[in-house]
Amino acid sequence: MDQKKIERINELARKAKTPEGLTEEEVQERDALRRAYIDSVLGSLNRELDNTWLVDEKGNRRKLEKRGGKNG
């Protein structure tokens, strides 16, 4: 996610705290930007975990196994 989108998320968060609040369109934009941010973070985390190896006390390496669940 690029910096402009993150700045827009922060801008909308600040505006939501003001007495005027957000318009319906801004609420929808905020929700879409938040979802995109979360998806970006989860994607980055999954890529990192895909390249993670476990090393036991004997020095044997094995790939980290995926667990079942919502995202894996």
Side-chain angles (χ1 to χ4, degrees), residues 12-23:
L12 291 169
R14 283 189 297 274
K15 185 176 179 189
K17 294 177 184 178
T18 65
E20 67 189 47
L22 298 174
T23 66

Side-chain angles (χ1 to χ4, degrees), residues 2 16 19 26 37 39-41 53-54 60 67:
D2 64 32
E26 289 171 329
Y37 178 78
D39 291 344
S40 172
V41 170
W53 294 80
L54 297 176
N60 298 318
R67 298 177 108 179

Side-chain angles (χ1 to χ4, degrees), residues 49-60:
L49 291 174
D50 285 344
N51 292 307
T52 300
W53 294 80
L54 297 176
V55 180
D56 66 16
E57 61 278 350
K58 296 178 183 177
N60 298 318

Side-chain angles (χ1 to χ4, degrees), residues 27-59:
V27 169
Q28 291 175 359
E29 178 187 8
R30 178 193 63 186
D31 292 346
L33 287 169
R34 284 180 173 176
R35 181 77 257 161
Y37 178 78
I38 291 168
D39 291 344
S40 172
V41 170
L42 287 176
S44 177
L45 177 61
N46 282 327
R47 284 188 298 279
E48 186 70 29
L49 291 174
D50 285 344
N51 292 307
T52 300
W53 294 80
L54 297 176
V55 180
D56 66 16
E57 61 278 350
K58 296 178 183 177

